[in-house]
């Protein structure tokens, strides 16, 4: 059976999604309600790919968290064959994977019979138990070797510059509805500063391209 996935960060980019899910299909926009999109946790892959800036705190990635009264998030929705599902859990190992009922983009009607997987905020305790099996050596292998002691609920991090640029470019490709939603309904870890405000304070983020080795991954 095909499995539906809702993408709100790098998975806004179809090319990014296809690197993990080469047989995805029915790629389109949707809305999800009741969640806030936040840059509030560390992604080990940013260190592995050489795009984390630990000295400035620009190391965070996106998750969604339940939030009453939050505006809808414009996301991508696509399906994958069930044999590609293990690749999803490997790619998104730090998250709590939840199910949501996506809404249609234009009318906000629930998509009947559709449940999509989404990468929800998790916790260090859950990551240690579920991913690391309570083994400190496993945590060190994934995060500790980069000097990271806390993954979730960070209040001292900024978006990874290359990743943020990638997400903004991907959102732009879907048009103003998606682009404006990403800029205005995505928050830094303080849950107050929007991406639009953050980019206005540092326009160089959008002017800098990814390093050569990561260009094919973070091209928007």
């Amino acid at each position: 059976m095909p499995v539906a996935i809702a993408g709100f960060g790098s998975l806004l980019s179809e090319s990014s999604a296809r690197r993990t899910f080469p047989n995805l299909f029915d790629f389109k926009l949707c809305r999800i309600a009741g969640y806030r999109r936040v840059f509030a946790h560390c992604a080990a892959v940013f260190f592995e790919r050489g795009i984390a800036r630990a000295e400035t705190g620009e190391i965070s990635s996106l998750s969604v968290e339940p939030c009453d009264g939050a505006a809808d998030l414009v996301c991508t929705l696509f399906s994958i064959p069930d044999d590609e599902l293990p690749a999803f859990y490997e790619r998104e190992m730090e998250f709590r994977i939840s199910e949501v009922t996506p809404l249609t983009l234009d009318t906000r009607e629930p998509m009947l019979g559709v449940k999509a997987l989404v990468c929800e905020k998790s916790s260090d305790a859950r990551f240690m138990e579920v991913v690391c099996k309570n083994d400190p050596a496993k945590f060190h292998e994934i995060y500790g070797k980069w000097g990271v002691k806390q993954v979730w609920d960070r209040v001292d991090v900024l978006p990874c510059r290359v990743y943020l640029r990638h997400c903004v470019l991907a959102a732009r490709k879907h048009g103003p509805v998606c682009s404006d939603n990403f800029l205005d309904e995505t928050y830094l870890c303080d849950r107050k500063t929007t991406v639009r405000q953050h980019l206005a304070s540092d326009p160089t983020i959008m002017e800098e391209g990814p390093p050569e080795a990561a260009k094919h991954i973070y091209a928007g």
Side-chain angles (χ1 to χ4, degrees):
M1 288 286 292
V3 178
I5 294 173
F8 53 82
S10 61
L11 292 180
L12 291 172
S13 164
E14 184 171 356
S15 61
S16 183
R18 285 193 181 279
R19 273 189 292 275
T20 304
F21 315 112
N23 298 303
L24 72 81
F25 58 96
D26 199 19
F27 193 89
K28 59 190 176 186
L29 291 180
C30 72
R31 296 177 184 270
I32 61 173
Y35 285 90
R36 176 169 53 193
R37 183 166 36 200
V38 185
F39 279 99
H41 79 282
C42 301
V45 70
F46 296 162
F47 291 90
E48 294 164 6
R49 292 174 175 169
I51 63 171
R53 290 191 181 182
E55 68 278 8
T56 60
E58 292 169 296
I59 60 176
S60 67
S61 186
L62 281 170
S63 63
V64 295
E65 58 187 22
C67 181
D68 291 340
D72 293 349
L73 298 180
V74 176
C75 303
T76 55
L77 179 68
F78 57 91
S79 296
I80 63 172
D82 58 5
D83 63 357
E84 291 185 353
L85 191 57
F88 174 71
Y89 282 96
E90 181 179 356
R91 172 183 172 132
E92 315 292 10
M93 63 178 177
E94 71 263 37
F95 299 93
R96 179 188 300 274
I97 305 301
S98 300
E99 277 192 344
V100 297
T101 299
L103 311 177
T104 58
L105 181 66
D106 295 329
T107 64
R108 298 189 71 255
E109 293 294 321
M111 296 183 183
L112 298 180
V114 179
K115 292 289 186 182
L117 301 181
V118 68
C119 295
E120 187 177 322
K121 171 188 172 184
S122 187
S123 67
D124 279 41
R126 186 178 186 278
F127 181 79
M128 192 67 187
E129 178 183 355
V130 175
V131 178
C132 300
K133 309 301 182 186
N134 293 315
D135 181 359
K138 182 66 173 178
F139 184 88
H140 180 80
E141 177 187 335
I142 300 171
Y143 278 107
K145 65 184 178 183
W146 306 111
V148 175
K149 297 179 180 180
Q150 180 180 349
V151 179
W152 289 97
D153 294 313
R154 298 289 295 259
V155 296
D156 58 344
V157 292
L158 293 170
C160 172
R161 298 168 73 86
V162 170
Y163 173 78
L164 172 56
R165 177 181 178 272
H166 169 66
C167 294
V168 171
L169 293 176
R172 284 180 183 172
K173 290 180 179 178
H174 293 293
V177 171
C178 183
S179 180
D180 287 343
N181 183 268
F182 186 85
L183 293 173
D184 297 324
E185 301 301 336
T186 306
Y187 294 88
L188 273 57
C189 64
D190 62 4
R191 273 75 171 176
K192 297 177 182 178
T193 306
T194 66
V195 160
R196 189 186 297 277
Q197 293 167 332
H198 182 58
L199 293 176
S201 70
D202 187 357
T204 63
I205 292 171
M206 295 305 298
E207 297 167 3
E208 298 174 10
E212 192 65 36
K215 280 186 176 179
H216 65 295
I217 301 173
Y218 296 106

